Amino acid sequence: MRLIIMPDPDIALRLAASEIASHMTSSRHPVLGLATGRTMEGVYGHLAALHERDGLDFSTTSTFNLDEYVGLSQDDPRSYHYYMHDLLFRHVNIDPASVHLPDGMGQDLDAECTAYEAAISRAGGIDLQLLGIGDTGHIGFNEPPSPFDTRTRCVTLNDKTREQNASMFGGDPAQVPHQALTMGVGTILEARHLLLLALGTAKADIVAKALEGEVGPQVSASAIRLHARCTVILDKASASGLSEATRAKADYRAA
């Protein structure tokens, strides 16, 4: 695992966007796994700026998002379909046919999950999977306990996760859907490279559990430590819960 600690959040966001851009330019047909949440808003802003300013080309890129709420239509402003279109896709030259998110409105959710796995396989697998980390230690919506061999599936969201995501639902956790479709931990681990980004003091404890605690299904983010090519980008605040020994192994950057 490659651990990078940056001095402030914006520099960490810019580095994450740069890592993604580097993967895109090194492949003729890059396949990106994308994440959502407030942390990722800045990443997508920087990627859109790289497209506008430097001509970063999305025309041959395919994307697969980690998850989507069950019961929200694609044009619902609270859905991740809407989030991705609003923050990234409408700003860049990506082919809409190359954009993939689970369909939380599907009549047969098990069939939708099977089809999503098949689509990832047809694309040749994911080159780079972007990840955040939730308050329960989840990657995607892999709530505890999530075995490390799980595939794309329908899950029930933890109350803590629904509280964390309530800001998109008028601040009311009761309005957050109870279920979501998510890539499984096993699906995520099959990506050729993982990039986890976490920012802020609120993430410090769960980051420490994921990077230094027991590797197991109670903290699905701990699975990244089993991956051969994993990069973790933190700011100083999110890294503040790590031991001195772990921080000593990190790559500190000024810019």
Side-chain angles (χ1 to χ4, degrees):
M1 183 180 71
R2 176 182 172 220
L3 174 61
I4 303 171
I5 300 176
M6 305 298 280
D8 65 60
D10 189 61
I11 296 176
L13 289 167
R14 283 195 282 119
L15 177 61
S18 177
E19 290 274 324
I20 295 168
S22 178
H23 276 268
M24 290 173 61
T25 56
S26 66
S27 174
R28 291 180 61 187
H29 298 284
V31 181
L32 300 179
L34 300 180
T36 52
R38 280 175 289 183
T39 298
M40 302 307 161
E41 293 175 10
V43 175
Y44 298 140
H46 284 298
L47 284 173
L50 286 172
H51 169 72
E52 178 69 23
R53 184 182 67 242
D54 300 332
L56 179 63
D57 183 18
F58 284 76
S59 65
T60 63
T61 297
S62 297
T63 66
F64 289 87
N65 263 75
L66 284 168
D67 42 38
E68 178 59 285
Y69 291 111
V70 169
L72 297 188
S73 64
Q74 295 184 15
D75 59 357
D76 189 314
R78 303 167 300 177
S79 73
Y80 289 145
H81 281 80
Y82 189 97
Y83 170 106
M84 291 304 309
H85 176 76
D86 186 52
L87 292 176
L88 181 62
F89 298 148
R90 70 185 181 93
H91 301 287
V92 300
N93 64 329
I94 195 165
D95 182 350
S98 298
V99 168
H100 305 84
L101 292 93
D103 182 6
M105 294 292 289
Q107 293 297 309
D108 185 336
L109 295 180
D110 288 339
E112 171 62 24
C113 293
T114 299
Y116 203 66
E117 288 280 336
I120 293 172
S121 180
R122 285 195 302 272
I126 293 171
D127 296 315
L128 174 67
Q129 177 64 62
L130 178 63
L131 299 168
I133 181 170
D135 289 350
T136 65
H138 63 240
I139 46 177
F141 271 136
N142 289 284
E143 301 282 31
S146 286
F148 290 174
D149 60 354
T150 49
R151 314 304 302 183
T152 300
R153 68 203 196 284
C154 182
V155 297
T156 298
L157 299 180
N158 188 290
D159 288 345
K160 190 172 184 179
T161 296
R162 295 174 69 231
E163 290 174 6
Q164 180 185 354
N165 293 358
S167 61
M168 292 294 292
F169 295 82
D172 182 4
Q175 298 302 312
V176 180
H178 286 264
Q179 291 184 308
L181 303 184
T182 184
M183 286 188 200
V185 180
T187 311
I188 292 168
L189 289 177
E190 287 179 357
R192 286 178 276 280
H193 194 136
L194 303 181
L195 174 61
L196 185 142
L197 173 66
L199 304 173
T201 305
K203 297 291 185 181
D205 288 346
I206 196 61
V207 164
K209 287 180 181 177
L211 301 189
E212 297 181 326
E214 181 180 352
V215 175
Q218 289 302 127
V219 179
S220 64
S222 67
I224 68 172
R225 288 154 59 189
L226 304 177
H227 200 280
R229 296 187 66 199
C230 177
T231 299
V232 176
I233 299 176
L234 308 174
D235 64 351
K236 285 186 176 179
S238 59
S240 62
L242 296 173
S243 67
E244 290 185 10
T246 297
R247 292 200 302 269
K249 300 174 183 176
D251 177 5
Y252 286 84
R253 300 193 186 181

